[in-house]
Every structure is written in structure tokens, then in C-alpha cells.
Amino acid sequence: MNWSGLVAVAVLVGSVCAARSPYQAVLQHSRIRGRAQGPNVCAMQQIRGTDKKYFTNCKQWYHRKICSQPTVITYECCPGYERIPGEKGCPAALPLVNIFSTLSAIGATTTQMYSERAKLREEIEGPGSFTFFAPSNEAWAALPMEILDALVSNVNIELLNALHYHMVSRRLTSEELKHGTTFTSMYQDLDVHVHHYANGIITVNCARLIKPDQHATNGIVHLVDRVITAVSNDVHSIIDTDDDLETLRTAIAAAGLNNVLEGPGPLTVFAPTNEAFEKMPQETLTRILGDPVALKDLLNYHMLKQMHCAESIVSGTPLETLQGSVLEVGCDSDQLTLGGRSIVTRKDLLGTNGVVHYINQLLIPDSAKTLLELAEGSSVSTATRMFVEAGLSPHLKGSEAITMLAPLDEAFKASVVTSDSVAVMKNHLLKHQLSSKSLYHLQELESLDGVKLRVFVYRNNLCIENACIAAHDKVGRYGSLFTVDKVLTPPMGTIMDVVKSDDRFSLLVGAIQTAGMTELLNQEGALTFFAPTNDAFSALPREELSRLMGNHQELSGVLRYHLGEGLLVSGGVSSHTRVKPLQGEKLELGVRNYTIHVNRIPVVDADLMATNGVVHAVNKLVKPVFVKDREQSDGPAGAVRLDSRSFRDESLFNKVLNSRSSRNMNASQ
């Protein structure tokens, strides 16, 4: 990046950091993005095909999307400025006039017209200090006809009251519109509810301020995108008076959550309709309704700890629920989405302590699910099917405290499951409901059938035997689900037992016995054996193999170099992993193309688990890697190492070394 680019970035960061509120931050960013068009020009992002415009932040600017919809950049005068014909940008400050005239200047002509009809003009032209949340022309046009008719048919009372509810008898700039504040309106002292979100969006009674801070001689005007109505009921009352939420009311009472909905808040409630409950499988619904803990978790998962009007969401955002986990709240065009699904049917029913959005589908948190339901909602469909086929559904659907180890679907493609699939899958069900965060190195776990399984903690992985955890825990009502990368294979004997039971190691077994190492590989301990197969021994010249087998001491040294201290499964290997062998300096391990290599020899079959270690099969004898070999192998592809022997003329090479330029270069170094 050149110097001017660095200066631009520094100015952008410094200006935004100096902003006093989230709205001021996005306004400042929009100013910076628009300054190439002239003074006081703001860059706006307009959703393609609509009239909706937003001041922009960095993320939106580069993504060019709002609510998953593409945007186009438009340039407008920043608040308080106007264009002068023939001049660049918006150099002139808007003349300061009264609120009534300001309404016309910002395009709120319908509000201006209704203000005159309701005899409000004299008040907002005269002395005083007011804040007017003025609906745009489009906001009035979107009002249901029956409501608009009721207002304009009684302009001296209904319309005047409605306009007075949009007014506060003091000047409130965007800086003073703090998140979660309320201000007394000029209609019967009823409050208006303001929220100022971290993304720069400001709402009043869930109406978005689309042109804030339009100053006037007698106050300030904020243009809003809808006509707001008075709020007098709390969230509990909204739910309690709608027949479409009858099932939800019953569930809330059964869970003892009425006090939460009647409390101070603020809350966001995604209220499932009767239809949403009817869509739930009857067995699942009956189970949850009959379980107070699961029911409370279910309902709390539908409530956010903060109040979020629909207009506050411009992209997918993880928000914390009362249940404790997060819910992905996003938008797609004009639809609110939950977890990427457009299931919100009504938005922004505002209460004094929060807001209600209706949804037509229940949201079930993991904490209210059985193990089978957890598995069905994860990327472990093969394991789920095999658990069911093995007749283990009662364990997965009941109230037994267990932990499921569910291999990824890809794991079954790389493993051969024996005919005794019941035993294999039972090994993947552990006693007790566990958390991976509580596991520790060499901890002993127990399967439902009593098989002992070990925990191995590595710098880059957490493994149970050969199966390493591949995703975050899913914690259900009674059980936990650990997604693992391999089909788990418990140890079936000592290292000696493992190699004796595999025909690929027949020559190795003879070598071990010849070297007198049988007892070593049978005794308790934790060893990693890079076990040479018959192919590894057969690759040696016949004379060398005979000599090696005839020299017990040398043979023992070779085999001990293949034995590493400690138990290292393949999932614990990362780049440049080093293992101390029983004899020799070190073994260097790494991963290339998903294959483990030891001293650059590929492991052809990994993770043959033993009670005293693990066996990894190699088709070549492992030899030490010398420094020179390592430097050559690690060097750039095609690199050529030059030394004096590469010169045909030795005298010419010496002349170059002894030349003045060579001596000067050496001195400078």
C-alpha cells in the first residue's frame, strides 16, 4: 500500500473512532466514502429495486449487501446541507427554518399536509423546542386504509393526537437518543421508546429514523419510515389477548414464565403461533410439554435478552437467548429470518417492556432434545442410521445420562465395520453425560458395555482412543453428542497381541522375538510403534536382511528406533511433531496430503490401538533424517546448491573469491 493509501486508512479509522455514537460512526463513514464527490456528500447504500437507503459501515460497503439483497451506491447531501447549481458536492448549509417548513424541505409533505389539517401548523411554526418524529410520505401511504380514514375523518382529535404522539417537547438530537431510553410524548404523556443499535440504526417504537437530525429554529425533525402508535400494554398482555397464541399462553403458564413477560425487560419474544405447535411431531411435543425443564428451555430459547425491532437487523447476527445459547437472527429482503429460515409471520408488536414477533415454526434448543434428535440435526446421518439399526434407539430417546460418540459420515467410508455392528456402535455410547471441556489426559471412560476407553489430550486435538473430536459438543436434555472424525476402535490387546494378530507383521513378530523384545511390547506402558510390515523387510537386500536378523543387538536398536515414547494417535500429529524413540535421537512426524509421515516414510495404516500403546504400519524401515537431507528436502523445488566443486575451473573460482569486489562484499556483510 502506498503512502497516500495509508493516510486514507488512518483518516478513516481515526474519524470513525472519534464518532460519539453508533449512528455518528456510520454517518462519518458515509461522509468519508462520499467525499470524492465533493464537500458534505454522503455515500448511501440503496437496496436494489427499492427506495430503502442506509448510511453505510465498512462491512456493508465491501459486501454490497443489506438483508442478503444487493445494493447500489448513491450519493446525497449529508444531513443539513444542500447543493448549489454549478458547484461540486453540497457546499451550502440548509437555511434554518421552523419545523413546519423543515417538513417540506426534507420531503415529508404528507406530514406537513396533515399537520395543517389538524391545526398543528401554528404550534410547530411558533416558539418552543420540539422533536418531531415525522413519518415519510411512504409511511403514510403504507398505513391501512381503515386506520387512515379514521384519522382524517376526525382531524381535530384523532389526527392531532396521532401527530402529537410523534412529538416530544424538547430538542433531541441523535446523540441524545440513547439505546433503551423512553421520552414523554405530547399525547397524554405516553412514552415513545427509542433504541440506538450498535450498527447505527436508530428506531422509535420500531420505526427506523431514515433522515435524522434535521435541525429547525424551534426544534429538530427526524424522518421515520412508519407511522407510530401509542404503546400501553406489556409483552405478557400482547400474548394474553391473542387467540392465535393460546397454546403458547398455556405453555408459558406451565413453565412459570409469566413473571418474566411481566417484568421490566427489555425482551424480544419470537412467539410461536398455534399453527407452530401443531407442526411439531406429537411424540416430541408431548414429551416436552410433560418435562418442565425441557419446556422452560424451549420457551426461553424463543426470547432474546435485548429488544430487537425488525429494522435493527441488516445481516445475520448471533444473539443471546434467555436459555443461554445464541440464535442466529437475520433478514432476507423484508423478511426476518431465524437460523436462516423465513418463519416470522408478524413483526414489531411493541410492548412497554419489549417486542413480539410471531413465528409459524417452533425453535427447539439442543438442551430440550433427546440424543436421537441431536444426531438427526447433525452431519452424522450414517452413524444415526447405524445406531437405530443396531437397536439402540431406546438409549437415544430415553432419559438415560449417556454420551454419544458420532463419527462423521466420511469416517465410515474409510473404515470397515465388522458384522457385529451392534458391538461397534455400543462402543460409541459412554456412561454419563460428559463435556469435552472436562476431559483430561489419560482419563478412563467406560462404554455402556463396560469397555474401558482412554482420553488423549494433544496440543491440536482431543481424542478418545483413535477418534478425535471434530466439532463442538451438543448438549441435550439428558445426553451429550461428541462428533468424532473416525470410527472408534477400542484396544484389543497389547502391542504384541496387535502385531501377532495381523499377517502383515509376521516377519516383524519374528524379528521382535529374535531381538528379545517380546516382554517389552507386552508390559504396561504407553508406546507408539511405527511397525514395519513384511513389505518393509522384503524391500531390504537379502544379504542386508540376513545380516540384520543375525545381529541381535543391531536388530534391537533398529526396532527400538521404531518405538516412540508416549502414545500418539494420528489425530495428535501436526506439522513438525517430534517423538523421542527408545533408541536414537528423534522421530520427525508430519502430515502431507492427509497422510502421516515419520521421517518422510508414509504411514499406510494408522491407529491400531493397544492397551499399552498404538501401532502405525509402515512399508519401509524408518531411518534417521540427517541435517543435510532435511535441508535439501525442505529447500525450494528445483533449487540448486552450489559449492566449489560445481565449477569446472577451480582456479577461476579462487580468483573470484580473492577479487576486490568479493572482499568488499564480505566486509560489508
Side-chain angles (χ1 to χ4, degrees), residues 39 42 52 125 128 211 341 411 416 447 468 542 564 604 607 635 650:
C42 283
K52 295 187 74 170
E125 276 187 334
K211 285 187 178 180
R341 297 173 294 168
V416 178
S447 75
C468 299
R542 186 179 299 275
V604 296
D607 298 333
E650 186 72 21

Side-chain angles (χ1 to χ4, degrees), residues 562-635:
H562 287 72
L563 281 163
E565 296 177 356
L567 198 158
L568 181 65
V569 300
S570 61
V573 177
S574 58
S575 59
H576 305 296
T577 299
R578 293 185 175 183
V579 174
K580 172 69 176 173
L582 296 189
Q583 185 165 323
E585 185 179 350
K586 62 178 173 288
L587 295 167
E588 297 193 3
L589 281 71
V591 182
R592 292 203 302 272
N593 298 325
Y594 305 103
T595 300
I596 306 297
H597 288 69
V598 51
N599 287 13
R600 298 201 294 275
I601 303 298
V603 171
V604 296
D605 193 3
D607 298 333
L608 306 175
M609 305 306 296
T611 55
N612 58 346
V614 62
V615 176
H616 305 298
V618 291
N619 279 342
K620 290 183 179 179
L621 289 181
V622 178
K623 297 179 180 179
V625 177
F626 297 105
V627 174
K628 183 177 179 181
D629 294 335
R630 190 184 305 114
E631 288 175 351
Q632 290 175 344
S633 67
D634 291 344

Side-chain angles (χ1 to χ4, degrees), residues 155-170:
V155 293
N156 292 330
I157 298 177
E158 297 296 338
L159 184 58
L160 180 62
N161 289 342
L163 291 172
H164 268 152
Y165 185 64
H166 288 74
M167 295 176 63
V168 176
S169 59
R170 55 180 282 205

Side-chain angles (χ1 to χ4, degrees), residues 23 89 187 218 249 268 406 467 473 533 562 593 621 661:
Y23 165 71
Y187 170 61
N218 58 344
R249 277 200 302 276
T268 300
D473 303 2
T533 62
H562 287 72
N593 298 325
L621 289 181
S661 60

Side-chain angles (χ1 to χ4, degrees), residues 178 180-184 191-194 352:
K178 306 292 186 184
T181 53
T182 58
F183 298 96
T184 302
D191 287 338
V192 291
H193 301 261
V194 171
T352 55

Side-chain angles (χ1 to χ4, degrees), residues 9-23:
V9 170
V11 170
L12 176 61
V13 172
S15 300
V16 172
C17 288
R20 293 161 294 179
S21 71
Y23 165 71

Side-chain angles (χ1 to χ4, degrees), residues 47 52 54 59 65-69 199 268 270 304 308-320 326-348 357-359 363:
I47 298 178
K52 295 187 74 170
Y54 295 81
K59 182 179 179 181
K65 282 190 176 182
I66 292 175
C67 285
S68 304
Q69 302 302 302
N199 58 7
T268 300
F270 295 103
L304 304 180
H308 283 274
C309 298
E311 286 295 332
S312 72
I313 304 296
V314 294
S315 61
T317 308
L319 300 174
E320 189 176 0
V326 297
L327 182 62
E328 180 80 14
V329 182
C331 52
D332 187 358
S333 188
D334 61 347
Q335 297 290 314
L336 264 185
T337 62
L338 299 179
R341 297 173 294 168
S342 298
I343 60 175
V344 178
T345 56
R346 291 182 67 187
K347 299 181 289 187
D348 293 339
H357 308 291
Y358 286 29
I359 59 175
L363 308 168

